[in-house]
Amino acid sequence: MAAQPQSLPATIPTVKLLIDGALVDSKTTEWRDIVNPATQEVLARVPFATPEELEAAIASSKKAFATWRHTSVGTRARIMLKLQELIRRDTKRIAACLTAEQGKTLADAEGDLFRGLEVVEHACAVGTLEMGEHLEQVANGVDVYAIRQPIGVCAGISPFNFPAMIPLWMFPMALVCGNTFVLKPSEQDPMTTMLLAELALEAGVPPGVLNVVHGGKGAVDTLCSHPDIVAVSFVGSTMVGTHVYRLASQNGKRAQCMMGAKNHAVVLPDAAKDASLNALAGAAFGAAGQRCMAISVGVLVGAARQWVPEIVEKARSLKTTAGTEPGADLGPLISTAALARVTALVEAGVKEGAKLELDGRGIAVPGYPKGNFIGPTIFSGVTPSMTIYREEIFGPVLCLMGAETLDEAIAIVNANPFGNGTGLFTRSGAAARKFQHEIDVGQVGINVPIPVPVPHFSFTGSRGSKLGDLGPYGKQAVHFYTQVKTVTARWFDEASTAGGVNTTIALK
């Protein structure tokens, strides 16, 4: 169970709200500790914003939209250019903060930030991305053109596992399209997001164009139901995402929700063995498995089923320790609650008959006796009915299954309710072509374990991994954050009669 909000002693640093261009202290009486997951040190406390503070943030965005929507495309693009410059300048500082509050290794924290930075860079091309369409002479002297315009005040709800990348998926694309934005980062690790918000102000984002609030379910429900918010973007768990999508939709808002996953890697016996096993281990155990795109299931086909001992050895060689330690491959889980949940799921796997090939529970990490650590854990003989297969574990646990043929492996993946990401490891072009064509998953990697597309494309998903038809970045994000207006125009000179009176609907 998540830590409960509590009253605030005066000696602990506090996270600010960003309202109307100013960092302000909350007047709330409810606070939550931000805890270093490797040491249990309380780094700061985050406020659960009051209803009045939430209202002030939304009102600020509504007021700012009246002028921001008219800001030139060039001005918006130049702010994004400045923002990406500032992010590059402060990469080390932001990564250190991210590691302290979330637990990732420093290298992975920089990767988290870099993947968000790519979206900021892509946003700089808004002049091309937001272009409309024009067709001349659709009728006599009549032209039709379509233009994209901003939609209003938008909101974003981001998860704990990517406190830099996901906010950078959200607010830069919304702002560069001419909207204003209210962002609610995860209450578990909001300090990284606040650093990015401060850089946005430094880059020239005007007061009210970006507001940041903190809180739990109450804040989420306010953003999803407030009449002045027109669109909601969410990344996180299936349970919360389903609630967000339903509530936002019921209140007439656009909504995009990227949710849970159970990502499979299918390994054929003709795959480049060492490279494939390295990729599988990295994708399963990196970030302690706390990625929506983590590979949590390996489907070994044919003779590849004999590779289990080599997979175990790859995993055994990884170093589990605090993210700041040299050579760290994976750090702690985000919280003691997360550790308890993952441990319970491992125990369920044992009870339900899966073979525990490598047990990461109860590992001792020198110098960090209180950390939320669990090492790489591997099960073989996993079946679709087992709890460890049905649930998203969100920890460094790899479930191995076997299949006789590629067709059988594809059937296993397609029968799973989630459709976020998948990968195939093979040297056969024919097998790869068959797999990418028949697999019912949004993002497919061929010899690539975590196939998150670059922002020139769009992050996507299918089935239980996504609600809404548009993704959070790329061209799909431009469509999500704009509305299309069509203009049909005809101009006359003094001598024109336009053919007299026309009582039909047709243009001539």
Side-chain angles (χ1 to χ4, degrees):
M1 182 178 295
Q4 296 299 308
Q6 52 195 281
S7 22
L8 175 68
T11 55
I12 304 294
T14 60
V15 178
K16 311 297 184 185
L17 304 169
L18 174 59
I19 299 179
D20 205 30
L23 297 172
V24 299
D25 292 310
S26 175
K27 292 180 169 54
T28 188
T29 58
E30 294 184 320
W31 300 80
R32 176 175 177 150
D33 289 346
I34 302 169
V35 178
N36 183 318
T39 65
Q40 305 308 316
E41 172 194 3
V42 177
L43 301 172
R45 284 185 174 158
V46 60
F48 278 39
T50 66
E52 294 77 15
E53 289 163 346
L54 293 171
E55 188 65 39
I58 296 168
S60 172
S61 283
K62 181 180 180 180
K63 179 181 177 182
F65 178 66
T67 53
W68 179 248
R69 65 178 302 183
H70 301 300
T71 305
S72 72
V73 170
T75 296
R76 288 183 250 145
R78 282 188 289 274
I79 289 175
M80 290 301 129
L81 283 166
K82 183 63 177 178
L83 178 58
Q84 63 88 23
E85 174 191 331
L86 296 176
I87 291 172
R88 290 182 183 279
R89 181 196 71 187
D90 288 357
T91 291
K92 296 295 183 184
R93 179 171 71 100
I94 298 169
C97 176
L98 198 161
T99 294
E101 65 175 347
Q102 202 276 341
K104 290 185 182 183
T105 66
L106 284 169
D108 197 27
E110 290 193 22
D112 182 332
L113 183 59
F114 179 77
R115 293 312 301 265
L117 175 63
E118 289 182 317
V119 176
V120 180
E121 292 172 339
H122 193 240
C124 296
V126 63
T128 299
L129 297 173
E130 212 176 349
M131 281 184 177
E133 300 171 311
H134 193 134
L135 183 60
E136 186 182 49
Q137 200 68 2
V138 297
N140 185 28
V142 178
D143 304 330
V144 176
Y145 49 97
I147 55 179
R148 289 195 169 273
Q149 295 183 321
I151 55 176
V153 181
C154 303
I157 301 160
S158 62
F160 78 85
N161 58 327
F162 284 96
M165 182 181 77
I166 303 298
L168 291 175
W169 283 8
M170 293 178 175
F171 77 81
M173 292 304 299
L175 267 54
V176 84
C177 288
N179 304 287
T180 56
F181 204 80
V182 181
L183 175 64
K184 194 209 84 67
S186 170
E187 64 275 20
Q188 296 189 77
D189 49 6
M191 296 191 297
T192 299
T193 305
M194 291 307 298
L195 291 179
L196 295 171
E198 291 177 33
L199 294 186
L201 294 181
E202 185 179 348
V205 171
V209 172
L210 174 64
N211 291 283
V212 183
V213 297
H214 307 291
K217 183 177 184 298
V220 169
D221 287 356
T222 296
L223 297 178
C224 292
S225 59
H226 198 284
D228 290 336
I229 290 177
V230 299
V232 178
S233 179
F234 170 87
V235 176
S237 72
T238 298
M239 181 178 69
V240 179
T242 302
H243 170 74
V244 165
Y245 188 81
R246 182 180 298 117
L247 185 59
S249 299
Q250 287 172 349
N251 283 278
K253 306 181 191 314
R254 298 184 181 189
Q256 53 173 218
C257 296
M258 310 307 300
M259 306 185 301
K262 200 70 179 180
N263 304 317
H264 299 66
V266 176
V267 184
L268 299 186
D270 71 337
K273 185 175 183 180
D274 198 53
S276 299
L277 299 187
N278 282 337
L280 184 61
F285 306 121
Q290 298 175 118
R291 294 171 176 153
C292 67
M293 290 293 292
I295 291 296
S296 55
V297 182
V299 183
L300 308 180
V301 179
R305 288 175 292 184
Q306 307 304 314
W307 297 359
V308 174
E310 289 97 327
I311 297 172
V312 171
E313 287 309 306
K314 294 283 186 186
R316 202 188 301 275
S317 69
L318 299 177
K319 182 179 180 180
T320 305
T321 185
T324 52
E325 292 292 328
D329 293 301
L330 59 155
L333 297 180
I334 184 68
S335 66
T336 55
L339 178 61
R341 180 180 180 277
V342 172
T343 301
L345 285 167
V346 173
E347 292 169 356
V350 173
K351 289 178 182 178
E352 293 176 12
K355 183 179 179 182
L356 188 57
E357 301 279 357
L358 181 62
D359 189 353
R361 294 173 295 174
I363 64 169
V365 177
Y368 300 92
K370 297 181 180 180
N372 308 321
F373 294 105
I374 180 170
T377 299
I378 297 177
F379 283 102
S380 64
V382 175
T383 65
S385 64
M386 293 179 177
T387 303
I388 54 173
Y389 182 78
R390 289 185 287 107
E391 294 196 19
E392 185 178 20
I393 298 174
F394 229 59
V397 180
L398 176 62
C399 299
L400 296 178
M401 309 175 75
E404 289 285 348
T405 64
L406 177 58
D407 283 325
E408 183 182 343
I410 290 173
I412 290 171
V413 178
N414 286 348
N416 191 277
F418 294 110
N420 201 37
T422 188
L424 175 71
F425 291 88
T426 183
R427 298 186 194 187
S428 167
R433 175 66 175 77
K434 175 183 176 66
F435 185 81
Q436 71 183 41
H437 180 68
E438 297 183 10
I439 209 71
D440 185 12
V441 174
Q443 294 162 127
V444 180
I446 305 299
N447 298 311
V448 175
I450 301 181
V452 177
V454 295
H456 306 290
F457 296 87
S458 296
F459 191 95
T460 183
S462 65
R463 296 180 284 141
S465 293
K466 180 183 179 182
L467 289 172
D469 61 341
L470 296 172
Y473 63 69
K475 292 180 181 178
Q476 291 185 18
V478 174
H479 293 174
F480 182 75
Y481 288 120
T482 60
Q483 57 193 352
V484 176
K485 179 183 291 183
T486 59
V487 179
T488 304
R490 170 183 271 163
W491 296 92
F492 302 110
D493 57 29
E494 286 295 327
S496 175
T497 64
V501 177
N502 180 14
T503 60
T504 73
I505 196 173
L507 290 170
K508 298 178 180 178

